[in-house]
Amino acid sequence: MIRLRDIEKSFNQGASQVFVLRRINLEVEQGEFLSIMGPSGAGKSTLLHLLGMHDGAWTGEYEFLGHPVHELNNKQRQDLQRRNIGFVFQSYHLLDDLTVYENLEIPLSYRGVKRSERQAIVADTLDRFQIVGKKDLYPNQLSGGQQQLVGVARALVASPRLILADEPTGNLHSDQGREIMELFKQLNEEGTTIVQVTHSDTNAAYGGRILKLRDGWIVD
């Protein structure tokens, strides 16, 4: 599903060039559950956002589902991303001026799902995450944990082929966090590919493989 070849990312700091990612070579198979770990500043979130096509300022080759991402323009990358990838962000990234219901509906509208189908899918998702009573509230009316639950629900609502999760349980209490990880495990067993960034050994163990980064390098 994913193939990275000699990926590097850097920025200029005065007269120096500072590397965030160095010579990243990585393959992720369809149906895999990969956990990315490493100390703060290792490049974990940078790599995740690169995989999610949020960041185009890098060098190397990136193939996703056979598409050469490194050769695509911004619109082509965005179309590929919206059709196939769901995101769970550590800082929620919910749209403040939209209700919970509308935040869940957005990914479906991007994919051209008919309105009647969107309503049914959103209703099922609200019920699955036990947030039906929150559907008309705005993000600033929710607690941090509730916002994170909505963020996870939004990532899953369109049944993406790939889920990218950045510290997906970071703002949840232990029971909620365990429920989310069990849900990820179930989705993975049903065929969804998952790549998560985590500091938690417990969460990392849900994955079938752990990738460790240090100072932008993959380490054994």
Side-chain angles (χ1 to χ4, degrees):
M1 172 180 261
I2 292 170
R3 181 179 291 112
L4 304 183
R5 288 287 178 268
D6 295 323
I7 293 290
E8 295 199 328
K9 179 173 176 61
S10 64
F11 61 91
N12 293 323
Q13 190 174 64
S16 302
Q17 186 179 22
V18 178
F19 280 89
V20 186
L21 295 173
R22 296 300 309 266
R23 301 177 192 170
I24 300 294
N25 291 287
L26 174 66
E27 293 189 9
V28 181
E29 300 296 332
Q30 175 71 45
E32 194 171 356
F33 191 154
L34 175 67
S35 299
I36 302 175
M37 302 191 76
S40 296
K44 304 182 300 297
S45 293
T46 300
L47 178 57
L48 199 73
H49 283 284
L50 188 154
L51 292 175
M53 305 178 206
H54 287 133
D55 182 356
W58 44 267
T59 61
E61 298 182 359
Y62 173 13
E63 288 187 15
F64 179 73
L65 294 172
H67 299 274
V69 177
H70 50 285
E71 296 178 1
L72 303 181
N73 61 36
N74 287 339
K75 184 180 185 306
Q76 291 169 325
R77 290 183 184 186
Q78 189 175 68
D79 288 344
L80 187 62
Q81 175 211 87
R82 286 178 171 175
R83 288 199 310 271
N84 296 287
I85 303 177
F87 300 92
V88 181
F89 298 100
Q90 187 176 8
S91 52
Y92 322 131
H93 282 246
L94 300 176
L95 298 175
D96 292 334
D97 57 343
L98 299 182
T99 64
V100 167
Y101 184 99
E102 291 165 339
N103 265 282
L104 296 185
E105 194 177 30
I106 282 285
L108 299 170
S109 63
Y110 283 156
R111 298 186 188 194
V113 178
K114 294 178 181 177
R115 182 173 178 80
S116 58
E117 293 178 31
R118 293 203 305 265
Q119 291 174 336
I121 294 170
V122 171
D124 286 345
T125 303
L126 289 166
D127 185 55
R128 183 179 197 176
F129 284 85
Q130 299 178 14
I131 51 175
V132 175
K134 312 292 184 186
K135 68 183 180 68
D136 295 322
L137 298 181
Y138 291 88
N140 63 7
Q141 296 174 295
L142 305 175
S143 69
Q146 290 168 343
Q147 289 188 60
Q148 186 70 313
L149 281 175
V150 175
V152 174
R154 183 185 60 182
L156 305 183
V157 71
S159 300
R161 297 179 68 174
L162 171 66
I163 293 172
L164 299 176
D166 191 356
E167 297 288 357
T169 66
N171 295 296
L172 303 176
H173 64 64
S174 57
D175 288 343
Q176 287 177 318
R178 187 165 52 251
E179 289 175 10
I180 293 302
M181 293 311 302
E182 288 293 336
L183 177 58
F184 281 175
K185 180 181 178 181
Q186 178 186 339
L187 290 167
N188 179 246
E189 289 172 349
E190 294 170 358
T192 303
T193 306
I194 300 175
V195 178
Q196 69 163 341
V197 162
T198 183
H199 284 102
S200 165
D201 290 329
T202 300
N203 287 359
Y206 279 87
R209 177 163 61 114
I210 295 176
L211 178 77
K212 293 188 177 181
L213 290 180
R214 184 178 295 120
D215 298 325
W217 298 85
I218 293 177
V219 295
D220 292 332

